[in-house]
Amino acid sequence: MTENQTDDRPLAGIRVLDLTRALAGPYATLLLAGLGAEVIKLEDPVGGDLARENSPYLGKDGVTVGRSDPDDVSFSHLTRSRGKSGITLDLKHEAAGEVFADLVRGCDVVVENFTAGTAARLGVDHDTVREINPRVVYLSLSGFGQDARAGSKAMDVLVQALSGVMYTSGEPGEPPVRLGIPVADMLAPVFGVIGVLAALERRHRTGTGDWVDVSMLGALTSFVAIENWGAMAAAGMEARTGRTVHRLSPFGVFECKDGWVAVVAVHDKLATGLFAAMGAPELGADPRFATRDARVAHAVELEARIEDWSRTCTLAEALDALEARGVPAAPVRTPEEALTDPDTLRRRESVPVVHPVHGPSDLHTAGIPITFTEAATGFDDVLPLHLGEHNEQVYRDLLGYDDDRLRELRDRGVI
Amino acid sequence: MTENQTDDRPLAGIRVLDLTRALAGPYATLLLAGLGAEVIKLEDPVGGDLARENSPYLGKDGVTVGRSDPDDVSFSHLTRSRGKSGITLDLKHEAAGEVFADLVRGCDVVVENFTAGTAARLGVDHDTVREINPRVVYLSLSGFGQDARAGSKAMDVLVQALSGVMYTSGEPGEPPVRLGIPVADMLAPVFGVIGVLAALERRHRTGTGDWVDVSMLGALTSFVAIENWGAMAAAGMEARTGRTVHRLSPFGVFECKDGWVAVVAVHDKLATGLFAAMGAPELGADPRFATRDARVAHAVELEARIEDWSRTCTLAEALDALEARGVPAAPVRTPEEALTDPDTLRRRESVPVVHPVHGPSDLHTAGIPITFTEAATGFDDVLPLHLGEHNEQVYRDLLGYDDDRLRELRDRGVI
């Protein structure tokens, strides 16, 4: 409930009613919050978002596997609920519909990621919302879309498998690779936010909202689809892409004494630099490696030569040698190294995890990876540490409910 | 230049001047075009976007590795330039500034993905554009941000290495895994589009544009950062996540006779179903596998038992057995299988590749993975097959240049 008259974030003034749980939905509303929207997270009065129960927790004793203090909060909830107010409402209660309608009347956006069909059963679906407030932009995130077969399971690993992304990652002849980040869970909300913002732009022309429907499988498959798999298959190219790419050789990842280095030397000048870095400039005159076509034709041999060299170096030595010759190269970093990159921290693409009671930790989490020059980004200093933490502010201050009404809702277990 | 009065796409009426090349920038303007923006792609009169030279090509003889006909067009250009008009302008020419200014005066959005610093040298940077038209939202996509060290190379593989995503994907003790899709190239434009749309929303309040700066490394790192790597490390968990996840066992990908199956059986009920599917219901009573904690403690043994079974089945048999017991499972599909999924095609998350002269092919490419109920999505039937194909429409019809002016610009090599 920020009433900051000088809020210069791009979505200041947009209010979001957030019915989401787990990861995909909360990540969508997290992005909206970081861009300045006011997000009201609605949870069941009993238990709330299951992400509250994800181990590990952060509290006064730092990171713990179990929960021992009322202020211990799961890392998942802590990071995904930044900048959101939290209210409770039992959507299954007979008295919930009226409260929900009051909330919807004051909102611009509603976001849900129930299993397809559940929102209708709860009476919080798009039809119901449009009836109450036709200006609302309603975003549904699901595994396979709102028109999908009922009961389809939408876990990230299953969607990764279906999308083709697992198959393309890894060496020919080796097992498929599960990506180490929940890319299906994350990509659908990013496209969902695009849909919401596009529908808001349209609302300026038409005065009415829309129903935005994004599926995890569709979002990830559309990413896979940007590569020309059909044409590559027609040309006899492998769809399992491996850690080096022969048709661009030398291109890929090579082992060092103490790590791995990514190298791109696809043109003659870069190959010459690479050979110099390897202390083997004579390779540039070797007919097997002298031209791009020759290098591609002898890619396996060339890669073996490169790795014979890189394995004699530390990662730092390899990078120094390559950079000195202007050869594009980078270390394969761990997530922790990536998250604590000074430039990434300065640009707030990665940000410290802050406990609302115990303050900043030495952990890092996702920021908003968009920098504006005029507008600001960032999260309001609000987070529903406890269930229904902002019931008073929302139900009393925003909706105008009086003491009697609030007491009645509490007594009946509606909120 | 669609002048469709009934255009109900969400970004109808928004005009984008597109200075981008290669993949990241063109994918951003592709998304904007598919959401209804009018996109004018500006190319150098000599050669144009290098993506025009990416083999393979599509033409009257289908897919070819080399180019033999003037209408042969690279798959890259064909798919990334859908719905865009194409004009030529030599930004290095002394007479280009005036033409560029005329273009900027009529635009809402400018998008560029030059190496940081190049736009300023060409006189097409944000400062120049704002001076001409302060309402423009200017998007810069780059490897490391507009404030990065000069000369940093931003190839997708290097950014993947730096982001931590390669490290997290793959088995402990095995090499890092290069993702088979250019995820760094693709993710920055998706966040870039969010930035543009958020800035347009703000423009409705303020009347002025903004400079949106998104880096490939930041976008991908923010995705990596959603997982609690620091807390996991503190709890002794591996950052190399592998194809199965022991702490959720059984969870992951298992080998079949003719493929791979992804299985999620993290709860007792699902584990019981899995054991029944395996024809080994007695495992549910085995103290090593009877409870979630026991299964996690004996994950290696359990996974071996599962794979002993799955290797005796075809993928279809395994899926049938699992689905009959309600165990969430999915096949590891190839990209081609994913792109031709009937549901994905119906939802237009994957769409056929259409040659502007030779019509539809049996290849597939990325659609817009967002479904609206009121608004439409899709690409105008326009594509700059040849360089400067829409110079007349843009320079004459839009900017009002007359024959003399057009002839002069052509004769001097400005366009």
Side-chain angles (χ1 to χ4, degrees):
Chain A
M1 298 309 94
T2 302
E3 293 292 348
N4 182 351
Q5 294 307 313
T6 63
D7 193 343
D8 54 2
R9 291 175 299 172
L11 302 187
I14 299 291
R15 185 178 292 145
V16 179
L17 179 60
D18 178 3
L19 311 178
T20 69
R21 304 91 41 83
L23 175 52
Y27 183 62
T29 53
L30 184 75
L31 291 175
L32 293 169
L35 292 166
E38 174 189 338
V39 176
I40 301 171
K41 179 177 176 68
L42 188 154
E43 294 179 273
D44 193 88
V46 180
D49 189 338
L50 278 174
R52 289 177 174 273
E53 310 304 323
N54 289 357
S55 175
Y57 302 88
L58 188 67
K60 65 177 164 48
D61 300 323
V63 177
T64 54
V65 173
R67 200 178 198 162
S68 58
D69 186 89
D71 285 347
D72 285 354
V73 54
S74 83
F75 181 94
S76 299
H77 180 65
L78 185 55
T79 55
R80 296 171 198 170
S81 299
R82 284 172 285 166
K84 305 177 185 179
S85 303
I87 62 171
T88 48
L89 182 63
D90 176 7
L91 293 175
K92 291 181 179 138
H93 197 289
E94 55 172 10
E98 202 183 323
V99 179
F100 180 74
D102 287 340
L103 288 165
V104 165
R105 269 186 276 275
C107 282
D108 301 283
V109 178
V110 173
V111 186
E112 61 91 5
N113 67 332
F114 296 109
T115 305
T118 300
R121 278 199 303 280
L122 292 170
V124 299
D125 55 317
H126 173 250
D127 279 356
T128 305
V129 166
R130 184 183 48 188
E131 198 69 29
I132 300 164
N133 183 350
R135 285 179 55 79
V136 165
V137 173
Y138 188 102
L139 170 63
S140 292
L141 297 170
S142 61
F144 306 102
Q146 294 303 305
D147 48 0
R149 306 172 299 276
S152 306
K153 300 294 178 185
M155 286 84 157
D156 180 84
V157 66
L158 304 183
V159 177
Q160 281 197 28
L162 289 167
S163 73
V165 75
M166 273 193 186
Y167 186 93
T168 72
S169 303
E171 305 295 327
E174 296 288 318
V177 175
R178 192 177 66 83
L179 273 52
I181 56 173
V183 64
D185 269 330
M186 300 284 286
L187 205 52
V190 175
F191 279 105
V193 169
I194 289 178
V196 166
L197 297 178
L200 286 174
E201 174 64 23
R202 180 174 172 276
R203 188 174 79 166
H204 286 284
R205 294 201 312 279
T206 65
T208 54
D210 207 333
W211 188 12
V212 184
D213 163 16
V214 175
S215 78
M216 290 163 60
L217 180 60
L220 188 53
T221 303
S222 81
F223 255 39
V224 172
I226 203 71
E227 290 277 25
N228 49 353
W229 302 105
M232 283 165 65
M237 291 173 189
E238 263 284 353
R240 291 193 58 68
T241 55
R243 72 178 160 95
T244 61
V245 179
H246 290 174
R247 70 189 152 86
L248 301 172
S249 191
F251 178 105
V253 177
F254 300 91
E255 188 167 20
C256 299
K257 267 185 194 170
D258 58 347
W260 299 81
V261 63
V263 179
V264 174
V266 291
H267 301 305
D268 286 348
K269 192 179 155 201
L270 300 178
T272 302
L274 169 62
F275 298 146
M278 292 164 62
E282 67 281 5
L283 293 180
D286 187 316
R288 291 169 302 172
F289 310 126
T291 67
R292 180 166 176 168
D293 286 348
R295 289 188 293 273
V296 169
H298 299 90
V300 174
E301 205 175 340
L302 176 56
E303 289 171 7
R305 295 291 289 259
I306 296 169
E307 210 148 52
D308 284 347
W309 162 72
S310 62
R311 284 183 176 138
T312 67
C313 313
T314 64
L315 180 53
E317 289 165 352
L319 286 168
D320 282 349
L322 291 163
E323 281 165 13
R325 275 80 177 188
V327 181
V332 174
R333 298 198 295 201
T334 66
E336 268 297 275
E337 288 168 342
L339 268 55
T340 54
D341 180 310
D343 288 327
T344 304
L345 288 171
R346 179 176 44 77
R347 291 174 58 83
R348 298 194 298 156
E349 297 150 339
S350 166
V351 297
V353 175
V354 180
H355 190 289
V357 174
H358 305 297
S361 71
D362 57 0
L363 302 171
H364 294 87
T365 188
I368 302 293
I370 307 170
T371 301
F372 299 87
T373 304
E374 302 297 327
T377 62
F379 299 98
D380 284 341
D381 187 19
V382 59
L383 186 137
L385 181 59
H386 303 295
L387 270 172
E389 187 156 330
H390 306 99
N391 278 351
E392 286 279 327
Q393 289 97 310
V394 172
Y395 288 128
R396 188 193 301 277
D397 302 346
L398 191 66
L399 301 193
Y401 289 5
D402 62 17
D403 286 347
D404 288 349
R405 178 85 166 117
L406 278 172
R407 194 176 315 112
E408 180 219 341
L409 291 172
R410 281 204 194 90
D411 290 350
R412 295 178 66 194
V414 183
I415 65 173
Chain B
M1 300 307 95
T2 299
E3 293 292 352
N4 182 354
Q5 294 306 313
T6 63
D7 193 344
D8 54 0
R9 291 176 297 173
L11 302 188
I14 299 291
R15 186 177 292 143
V16 178
L17 180 60
D18 178 2
L19 311 178
T20 68
R21 304 90 41 83
L23 174 53
Y27 183 62
T29 54
L30 184 74
L31 292 175
L32 293 169
L35 292 167
E38 174 189 338
V39 176
I40 301 171
K41 180 178 175 65
L42 188 154
E43 294 179 272
D44 193 90
V46 180
D49 189 339
L50 278 175
R52 291 177 173 271
E53 311 303 323
N54 288 358
S55 177
Y57 301 89
L58 187 67
K60 66 177 163 50
D61 300 324
V63 177
T64 54
V65 174
R67 198 180 202 162
S68 58
D69 185 89
D71 286 346
D72 285 355
V73 53
S74 81
F75 181 94
S76 300
H77 180 65
L78 185 56
T79 55
R80 297 171 198 169
S81 298
R82 285 173 287 167
K84 305 177 185 178
S85 303
I87 62 171
T88 48
L89 182 62
D90 176 7
L91 294 173
K92 292 181 181 138
H93 197 289
E94 56 171 11
E98 200 183 326
V99 178
F100 180 75
D102 288 339
L103 288 165
V104 165
R105 268 186 277 275
C107 283
D108 300 283
V109 177
V110 173
V111 186
E112 62 91 5
N113 68 331
F114 297 108
T115 305
T118 300
R121 279 200 302 280
L122 292 170
V124 297
D125 55 318
H126 173 250
D127 279 356
T128 304
V129 166
R130 185 183 48 188
E131 197 70 31
I132 300 164
N133 182 352
R135 286 180 55 80
V136 165
V137 174
Y138 188 103
L139 170 62
S140 292
L141 297 169
S142 61
F144 306 101
Q146 294 302 305
D147 47 0
R149 309 173 297 276
S152 307
K153 300 294 178 185
M155 286 85 157
D156 180 84
V157 66
L158 304 182
V159 177
Q160 281 197 28
L162 289 166
S163 73
V165 75
M166 273 192 187
Y167 186 92
T168 73
S169 303
E171 307 294 328
E174 296 289 318
V177 175
R178 193 176 66 84
L179 273 50
I181 56 174
V183 65
D185 269 330
M186 299 283 286
L187 206 52
V190 175
F191 278 106
V193 168
I194 290 178
V196 165
L197 297 179
L200 287 174
E201 175 66 22
R202 181 174 172 275
R203 190 176 77 166
H204 284 285
R205 296 199 313 278
T206 65
T208 54
D210 207 333
W211 187 14
V212 184
D213 162 17
V214 175
S215 77
M216 289 164 59
L217 181 61
L220 188 53
T221 303
S222 81
F223 255 39
V224 172
I226 203 74
E227 291 276 26
N228 49 350
W229 301 105
M232 283 166 64
M237 291 175 190
E238 261 285 354
R240 293 193 56 70
T241 56
R243 71 179 161 96
T244 61
V245 179
H246 291 173
R247 70 189 153 85
L248 302 172
S249 190
F251 178 107
V253 177
F254 300 91
E255 187 167 21
C256 298
K257 267 185 192 170
D258 58 346
W260 298 82
V261 62
V263 179
V264 174
V266 290
H267 302 307
D268 286 348
K269 193 179 152 199
L270 299 178
T272 303
L274 169 62
F275 298 147
M278 292 164 63
E282 69 280 6
L283 293 180
D286 187 317
R288 291 169 301 172
F289 310 128
T291 66
R292 180 165 176 168
D293 285 349
R295 289 188 293 274
V296 169
H298 299 90
V300 173
E301 205 174 340
L302 176 56
E303 289 171 5
R305 295 291 286 260
I306 297 169
E307 209 148 54
D308 283 347
W309 162 72
S310 62
R311 284 184 176 138
T312 67
C313 311
T314 64
L315 178 54
E317 289 165 351
L319 287 168
D320 283 349
L322 292 163
E323 281 165 13
R325 275 80 176 186
V327 181
V332 175
R333 299 197 296 200
T334 66
E336 268 297 275
E337 288 168 342
L339 269 55
T340 54
D341 180 311
D343 289 328
T344 304
L345 288 170
R346 179 176 45 76
R347 290 173 59 82
R348 297 194 298 157
E349 296 151 341
S350 165
V351 296
V353 175
V354 179
H355 190 289
V357 174
H358 305 297
S361 70
D362 56 1
L363 302 171
H364 295 88
T365 187
I368 302 293
I370 307 171
T371 301
F372 299 88
T373 304
E374 302 297 327
T377 63
F379 298 99
D380 285 342
D381 186 21
V382 60
L383 185 138
L385 182 58
H386 303 294
L387 270 172
E389 187 156 330
H390 306 99
N391 278 352
E392 285 279 326
Q393 289 98 307
V394 173
Y395 289 127
R396 188 193 300 277
D397 302 345
L398 191 67
L399 301 194
Y401 288 4
D402 63 15
D403 287 347
D404 287 350
R405 178 84 165 114
L406 278 171
R407 193 177 315 112
E408 180 219 340
L409 290 172
R410 282 205 193 89
D411 289 350
R412 293 176 67 191
V414 184
I415 66 173

